[in-house]
């Protein structure tokens, strides 16, 4: 923003205050509308691309057709009821069955048209039914498949990521105070450990704590059979949570601390931080009001993106720990070309992301007085 | 030394910075003193260690600070020996405050200026928020900032106003000494004059002492009672303004004064040949010798400080 517009802003402040009621509200509504519209366009494009990719540009149709032909042929040939039919009649019956099955699955219409139908269903959150996968309770509803796996994923990803986020910010802040100290150097030296994925640490943790020391379970969500009363159940889940959560934390903590520490170091060399120290403010106040407060927008952004990223879970880590989460489900869906499940989880993620970005705009305006929602677009 | 009678007495102050090339001797054995209700201007080229001197007095050390030694007596007490927390509570802003270089950036962008100015009063004077705010209003009046600006954010203020807010912030705890580190270098002449008038009035009305760090010789003469000239991390001349501006002693001071442009003068402003020595590899003898027009054999040795009618000069010419 130029200096001119800043001064103009200052001078017109009283005038703007008087006319705040209508023009500001109008501007706000206009801005929000525009923002929602552009986001909807982005989501539509993103989801359509996902549909195309998940269907391999229509190639999944071919796979399905072949599968239908195989299974129908097998079924009729193996059925003793039809043993007496002539080969021609059998062939005719097979063709009829295939046609009806393809019609049932919608394969009689070209992919281009169906992809648009998929898009409409996805955007209206009409997630439909899975092709092959079923929920643990036997339902084929994509919604149920996802909802059933969501709590476990949120538990693992939520616990580990929240601990990681707040832990690393807290440690990073104290490290930025002790720049060049022994612990600071150690953290930097250890940051490459984050190149190794969590499941790798998971394997070692399982080996040490489950196989050798035998104090923690190998995997799963709860003991088998699950404890009757809910307190014991919770305790058992907690015990199962320790190793996967620890492996996620170990694999990210040092890099995360290193990141935040550098971030805080940059902001703690701002002139106003120096002045705050010169003013003799207690170190806690300097940190809170002069380092954390001005960097709040960045911290909030990171946090919001982290929260929605929980949705995707950890694919391989969940597999290693036999953790019944979403990551493992999506992984299976991709392997089985179960497009409704893939598209279903993607569309929810897309909506969450868009909503977060939309809300962040307003959060920025709340925490940073320099940000005025809508003023940029109206100029 | 009679450091008991003085407000501030600095002895052998040293502040070095660690770099890969070796220590940067930004402040290297500085001695000077200041009475109460006096203003001293520290003149010198960019990079001679003026700002580092200000930081050294307030113990605002950067991360790469190396040697930091010497004595700083404030009303006779050596504040160098104070533990960090005592120093913060009793010296910083309670006794010595500062208007930092680039006061434009010295305000937190997300806190209202009124609150920022009030903070030191709440911390050091132990007053309530409401009392602190009324104190802030009084200080804003002193420096000529409209009272209703207390609810504004720094970005809503012009540069001159922010500068005044920074000065108000330095005043709010009624310190004995204010260090002004190039307080007006980024401002236009009218605003500069305005701010210096404010400072002069404050000195007269409140009896505050000032250390004014600048390379702007013309405006500094407005406020200063004494002049200290700094060169390559050391103070080479100290004297009263009147005689200094008339007749500087040290060859460097003479050259510095001669470089100030004068209106309707036939003489071209002079300049000093060469560059100041790097603060990493300092020459053994007099640090100005390489550029000095009056250089002679003795200059290969480091000159002590000589007294000359109550003025001090670090040059063999006055032995």
């Amino acid at each position: 923003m130029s200096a001119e517009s800043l001064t103009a802003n200052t001078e017109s402040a009283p005038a703007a205050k008087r006319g705040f009621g209508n023009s500001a509200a109008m501007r706000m509504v206009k801005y929000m509308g525009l923002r929602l519209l552009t986001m909807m366009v982005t989501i539509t494009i993103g989801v359509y691309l996902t549909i195309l990719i998940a269907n391999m540009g229509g190639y999944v149709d071919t796979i399905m057709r072949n599968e239908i032909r195989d299974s129908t042929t097998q079924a009729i040939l193996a059925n003793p009821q039809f043993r007496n039919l002539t080969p021609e009649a059998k062939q005719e019956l097979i063709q009829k069955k295939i046609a009806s099955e393809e019609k049932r699955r919608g394969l009689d219409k070209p992919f281009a048209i169906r992809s648009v139908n998929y898009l409409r269903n996805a955007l209206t959150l009409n997630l439909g039914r899975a092709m092959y996968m079923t929920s643990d309770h036997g339902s084929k509803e994509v919604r149920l498949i996802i909802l059933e796996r969501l709590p476990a994923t949120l538990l693992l990803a939520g616990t580990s990521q929240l601990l990681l986020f707040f832990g690393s910010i807290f440690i990073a802040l104290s490290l930025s105070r002790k720049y060049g100290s022994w612990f600071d150097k150690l953290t930097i030296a250890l940051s490459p450990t984050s190149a190794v994925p969590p499941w790798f640490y998971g394997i070692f943790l399982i080996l040490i704590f489950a196989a050798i020391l035998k104090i923690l379970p190998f995997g799963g969500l709860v003991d088998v059979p699950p404890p009757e009363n809910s307190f014991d159940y919770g305790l058992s889940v907690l015990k199962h949570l320790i190793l996967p959560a620890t492996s996620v934390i170990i694999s990210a903590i040092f890099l995360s601390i290193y990141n935040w520490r550098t971030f805080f170091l940059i902001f703690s060399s701002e002139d106003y931080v120096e002045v705050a120290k010169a003013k003799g403010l207690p170190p806690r106040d300097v940190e809170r009001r002069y380092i954390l407060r001005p960097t709040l927008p960045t911290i909030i952004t990171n946090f919001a993106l982290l929260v929605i990223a929980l949705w995707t879970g950890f694919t391989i880590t969940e597999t290693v720990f036999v953790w019944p989460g979403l990551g493992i489900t999506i992984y299976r869906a991709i392997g089985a070309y179960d497009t409704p499940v893939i598209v279903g989880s993607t569309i929810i993620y897309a909506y969450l992301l868009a909503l977060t970005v939309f809300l962040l705009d307003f959060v920025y305006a709340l925490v940073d007085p320099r940000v005025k929602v809508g003023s940029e677009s109206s100029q | 030394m009679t450091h008991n009678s003085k407000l501030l007495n600095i002895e052998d102050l040293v502040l070095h910075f660690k770099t890969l090339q070796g220590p940067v001797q930004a402040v290297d054995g500085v001695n000077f003193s200041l009475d109460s209700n006096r203003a001293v201007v520290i003149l010198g080229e960019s990079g001679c260690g003026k700002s580092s001197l200000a930081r050294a007095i307030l113990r605002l050390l950067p991360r790469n600070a190396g040697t930091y030694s010497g004595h700083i007596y404030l009303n006779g007490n050596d504040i160098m020996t104070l533990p960090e927390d005592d120093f913060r509570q009793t010296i910083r802003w309670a006794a010595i405050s500062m208007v930092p270089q680039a006061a434009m950036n010295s305000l937190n962008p997300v806190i209202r200026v009124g609150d920022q100015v009030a903070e030191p009063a709440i911390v050091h004077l132990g007053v309530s928020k409401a009392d602190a705010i009324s104190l802030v209003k009084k200080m804003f009046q002193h420096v000529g900032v409209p009272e209703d600006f207390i609810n504004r954010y720094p970005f809503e203020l012009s540069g001159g106003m922010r500068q005044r807010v920074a000065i108000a912030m330095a005043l709010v705890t009624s310190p004995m000494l204010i260090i002004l580190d190039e307080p007006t270098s980024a401002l236009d002449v009218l605003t500069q004059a305005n701010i210096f008038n404010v400072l002069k009035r404050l000195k007269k009305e409140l009896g505050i002492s000032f250390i004014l760090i600048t390379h702007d010789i013309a405006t500094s003469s407005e406020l200063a009672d004494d002049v200290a000239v700094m060169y390559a991390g050391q103070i080479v001349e100290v004297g009263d303004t009147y005689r200094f501006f008339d007749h500087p002693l040290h060859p460097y001071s003479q050259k510095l004064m001669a470089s100030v442009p004068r209106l309707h003068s036939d003489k071209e402003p002079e300049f000093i040949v060469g560059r100041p020595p790097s603060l990493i590899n300092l020459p053994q003898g007099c640090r100005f010798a390489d550029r000095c027009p009056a250089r002679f054999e003795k200059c290969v040795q480091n000159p002590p400080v000589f007294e000359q009618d109550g003025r001090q000069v670090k040059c063999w010419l006055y032995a």
Side-chain angles (χ1 to χ4, degrees):
Chain A
M1 194 181 269
S2 69
E4 267 167 81
S5 66
L6 276 183
T7 32
N9 202 346
T10 321
E11 274 156 17
S12 65
K17 240 169 229 161
R18 249 179 276 126
F20 185 78
N22 272 325
S23 70
M26 274 304 293
R27 206 179 58 199
M28 191 83 150
V29 168
K30 202 174 134 197
Y31 172 78
M32 280 165 67
L34 203 69
R35 201 61 215 245
L36 282 174
L37 202 72
T38 49
M39 274 180 183
M40 225 31 236
V41 171
T42 316
I43 290 177
T44 310
I45 294 171
V47 171
Y48 192 67
L49 283 177
T50 311
I51 290 170
L52 288 185
I53 292 167
N55 283 292
M56 297 165 87
Y59 183 69
V60 170
D61 283 11
T62 318
I63 298 176
M64 272 161 62
R65 280 210 179 86
N66 289 339
E67 222 176 58
I68 290 169
R69 191 168 53 235
D70 275 6
S71 59
T72 319
T73 314
Q74 285 293 326
I76 289 176
L77 289 182
N79 196 332
Q81 223 183 316
F82 302 128
R83 196 171 295 160
N84 301 329
L85 289 178
T86 59
E88 288 76 30
K90 264 188 197 167
Q91 210 45 246
E92 201 183 327
L93 187 66
I94 287 170
Q95 289 306 331
K96 236 164 70 190
K97 282 258 177 192
I98 288 175
S100 86
E101 180 65 17
E102 284 186 351
K103 193 170 170 144
R104 189 180 73 74
R105 298 239 197 143
L107 286 171
D108 54 333
K109 294 195 202 100
F111 176 70
I113 292 173
R114 276 184 303 123
S115 68
V116 177
N117 288 343
Y118 290 157
L119 180 65
R120 187 176 351 103
N121 287 341
L123 290 179
T124 52
L125 283 179
N126 182 6
L127 302 182
R129 294 164 67 81
M131 291 199 303
Y132 314 105
M133 298 177 74
T134 52
S135 74
D136 292 346
H137 293 94
S139 170
K140 273 184 110 64
E141 288 283 325
V142 170
R143 191 174 52 87
L144 289 180
I145 293 175
I146 290 175
L147 279 182
E148 186 184 65
R149 294 306 180 103
L150 194 55
T153 278
L154 288 186
L155 183 66
L156 173 57
T159 314
S160 54
Q161 296 289 28
L162 293 187
L163 279 177
L164 190 63
F165 183 79
F166 290 108
S168 54
I169 283 191
F170 183 77
I171 297 172
L173 201 56
S174 75
L175 273 194
S176 75
R177 224 181 304 145
K178 303 187 192 92
Y179 171 79
S181 67
W182 179 83
F183 194 57
D184 187 37
K185 285 182 181 135
L186 184 74
T187 309
I188 297 168
L190 285 176
S191 62
T193 56
S194 297
V196 181
W199 55 265
F200 190 80
Y201 292 104
I203 291 171
F204 281 96
L205 289 177
I206 290 174
L207 194 69
I208 297 169
F209 291 97
I212 300 175
L213 297 176
K214 295 184 172 59
I215 47 174
L216 288 168
F218 279 86
L221 182 68
V222 282
D223 288 333
V224 183
E228 290 289 317
N229 85 45
S230 54
F231 179 75
D232 287 344
Y233 189 92
L235 219 58
S236 167
V237 169
L238 212 60
K239 206 170 71 186
H240 285 76
L241 181 64
I242 294 175
L243 286 189
T246 308
S247 60
V248 170
I249 292 174
I250 290 181
S251 90
I253 184 92
F254 290 108
L255 189 62
S256 178
I257 293 176
Y258 185 25
N259 257 328
W260 283 113
R261 157 219 179 257
T262 311
F263 174 78
F264 287 133
L265 271 180
I266 292 169
F267 277 90
S268 58
S269 54
E270 288 282 347
D271 287 344
Y272 53 77
V273 179
E274 189 89 331
V275 173
K277 282 181 197 150
K279 274 155 84 172
L281 302 186
R284 272 182 58 109
D285 280 14
V286 175
E287 248 160 43
R288 207 166 43 87
R289 298 178 56 119
Y290 287 83
I291 298 177
L292 282 179
R293 182 68 186 74
T295 54
L296 208 52
T298 316
I299 296 175
I300 290 176
T301 309
N302 270 282
F303 183 70
L305 294 180
L306 180 138
V307 167
I308 55 172
L310 300 182
W311 172 256
T312 49
F314 310 98
T315 309
I316 306 178
T317 310
E318 282 178 6
T319 313
V320 166
F321 285 99
V322 207
W323 189 262
L326 256 182
I328 209 170
T329 308
I330 295 167
Y331 177 69
R332 278 190 203 140
I334 292 171
Y337 303 118
D338 201 330
T339 44
V341 179
I342 303 173
V343 174
S345 71
T346 309
I347 181 74
I348 293 176
Y349 185 68
Y351 271 129
L352 283 176
L353 189 62
L355 183 74
T356 311
V357 172
F358 183 68
L359 288 179
L360 275 178
D361 267 358
F362 297 93
V363 175
Y364 287 158
L366 281 181
V367 298
D368 191 335
R370 288 167 296 184
V371 177
K372 295 263 188 302
V373 171
S375 64
E376 216 83 44
S377 64
S378 65
Q379 273 164 13
Chain B
M1 287 292 265
T2 57
H3 47 69
N4 283 319
S5 61
K6 300 278 191 183
L7 171 70
L8 182 77
N9 201 347
I10 295 175
E11 285 176 17
D12 270 328
L13 188 62
V14 173
L15 175 59
H16 291 180
F17 301 127
K18 285 181 283 194
T19 65
L20 288 176
Q21 289 83 37
V24 175
Q25 305 172 27
V27 179
D28 199 30
V30 162
N31 294 289
F32 80 93
S33 58
L34 182 65
D35 283 320
S36 51
N37 198 16
R38 298 276 285 185
V40 60
V41 57
I42 298 179
L43 290 176
E45 284 164 276
S46 301
C48 72
K50 300 180 306 253
S51 294
S52 301
L53 175 61
R55 284 154 172 276
I57 295 173
L58 267 173
R59 208 191 279 180
L60 291 172
L61 308 180
R63 292 183 203 115
N64 63 340
T67 319
Y68 175 55
S69 64
H71 300 282
I72 302 170
Y73 296 98
L74 188 73
N75 286 329
N77 303 314
D78 191 354
I79 61 173
M80 284 290 275
T81 56
L82 284 176
E84 187 61 31
D85 210 47
D86 290 354
F87 190 87
R88 173 179 77 73
Q89 285 175 8
T90 59
I91 305 300
R92 286 196 184 139
W93 236 260
I96 305 175
S97 68
M98 180 170 102
V99 177
Q101 197 171 16
M104 301 282 205
N105 306 324
S106 64
L107 295 168
N108 187 335
V110 296
I111 299 182
R112 293 175 199 279
V113 290
D115 291 347
Q116 292 190 58
V117 176
E119 258 175 349
I122 296 169
V123 170
H124 294 296
L125 308 181
V127 298
S128 70
K129 175 101 190 254
D131 289 349
I133 289 291
S134 64
L135 206 58
V136 172
K137 283 183 181 161
K138 216 168 81 188
M139 292 308 149
F140 273 16
Q141 273 174 7
H142 271 309
V143 297
V145 176
E147 270 185 26
D148 58 320
F149 275 30
I150 51 169
N151 287 322
R152 291 208 182 177
Y153 289 99
F155 74 94
E156 298 173 318
L157 267 55
S158 68
M161 279 299 161
R162 269 185 264 183
Q163 194 73 51
R164 286 161 190 250
V165 168
I167 295 172
M169 192 155 74
L171 289 172
V172 74
T173 48
S174 332
M176 296 177 254
L177 172 65
I178 299 180
I179 302 171
L180 302 149
D181 190 358
E182 304 195 15
T184 58
S185 54
L187 302 174
D188 64 275
V189 272
L190 272 178
T191 317
Q192 278 189 13
N194 238 321
I195 284 174
F196 270 100
N197 285 338
V198 168
L199 293 175
K200 258 157 68 181
R201 210 185 64 231
L202 290 171
K203 181 165 166 266
K204 214 185 315 171
E205 287 174 8
L206 306 176
I208 302 172
S209 296
F210 291 99
I211 294 177
L212 174 62
I213 292 168
T214 184
H215 44 227
D216 184 350
I217 295 163
T219 42
S220 67
S221 58
E222 290 268 317
L223 182 70
D225 302 304
D226 296 305
V227 178
V229 179
M230 202 162 173
Y231 186 78
Q234 294 179 329
I235 288 190
V236 293
E237 179 173 353
V238 181
D240 60 286
T241 323
Y242 193 71
R243 284 188 292 169
F244 176 84
F245 283 127
D246 225 30
H247 177 60
L249 294 176
H250 196 281
Y252 175 66
S253 318
Q254 290 165 3
K255 282 284 184 188
L256 198 66
M257 293 305 295
S259 69
V260 178
R262 267 158 242 258
L263 205 59
H264 301 306
S265 164
D266 296 335
K267 278 207 298 186
E268 291 249 323
E270 288 183 40
F271 61 96
I272 310 176
V273 186
R275 284 191 301 142
S278 149
L279 293 174
I280 295 174
N281 296 310
L282 284 163
Q284 284 293 312
C286 171
R287 293 181 180 181
F288 185 59
D290 279 352
R291 307 166 75 189
C292 186
R295 150 174 209 175
F296 62 116
E297 312 85 66
K298 277 218 150 173
C299 298
V300 292
Q301 292 169 47
N302 190 21
V305 176
F306 298 103
E307 285 276 336
Q308 178 102 353
D309 305 330
R311 302 161 73 181
Q312 290 145 27
V313 57
K314 189 176 164 64
C315 177
W316 285 114
L317 287 174
Y318 302 91

